Amino acid sequence: ISIAYDNGDEWAILDGGALFIYTGRPQNPGINYFKGPYRLAATVEGVTSTPPTSPEVVNAAFLFAADQRLFVFARACTADGRLSTPFRGTGLGV
């Protein structure tokens, strides 16, 4: 999974910040809404000296096949523990 983000965001430019990326179990392509559960797939850590580069390639937490719908959930955490609003996305496996 390729996840694009702005590496100038507060979580990315400070030590202790992170972007948590979760994926849900693959669904049939006709499913358009998924509320969970999600499993942590990757964590992108922020670094003051050299922020992470976008896009980040992440392995899904579950195996999926072509034409299955995959739901992704991401949330950023700043160095002082504040959480962002959730980001949700979806795509079809190829």
Side-chain angles (χ1 to χ4, degrees), residues 20-23 38-43 61:
F20 301 105
I21 302 165
Y22 302 84
T23 59
Y38 288 93
R39 184 181 290 172
L40 182 65
T43 302

Side-chain angles (χ1 to χ4, degrees), residues 12-83:
I13 60 172
L14 295 174
D15 292 332
L19 178 66
F20 301 105
I21 302 165
Y22 302 84
T23 59
R25 290 190 184 277
Q27 304 292 318
N28 289 329
I31 302 295
N32 293 318
Y33 180 77
F34 182 79
K35 70 177 196 177
Y38 288 93
R39 184 181 290 172
L40 182 65
T43 302
V44 182
E45 295 183 10
V47 180
T48 302
S49 58
T50 54
T53 56
S54 178
E56 184 78 21
V57 177
V58 174
N59 290 326
F62 300 97
L63 294 176
F64 62 95
D67 295 328
Q68 284 187 313
R69 186 170 300 279
L70 189 65
F71 291 86
V72 179
F73 171 87
R75 197 159 215 187
C77 178
T78 59
D80 62 0
R82 291 177 290 137
L83 291 173

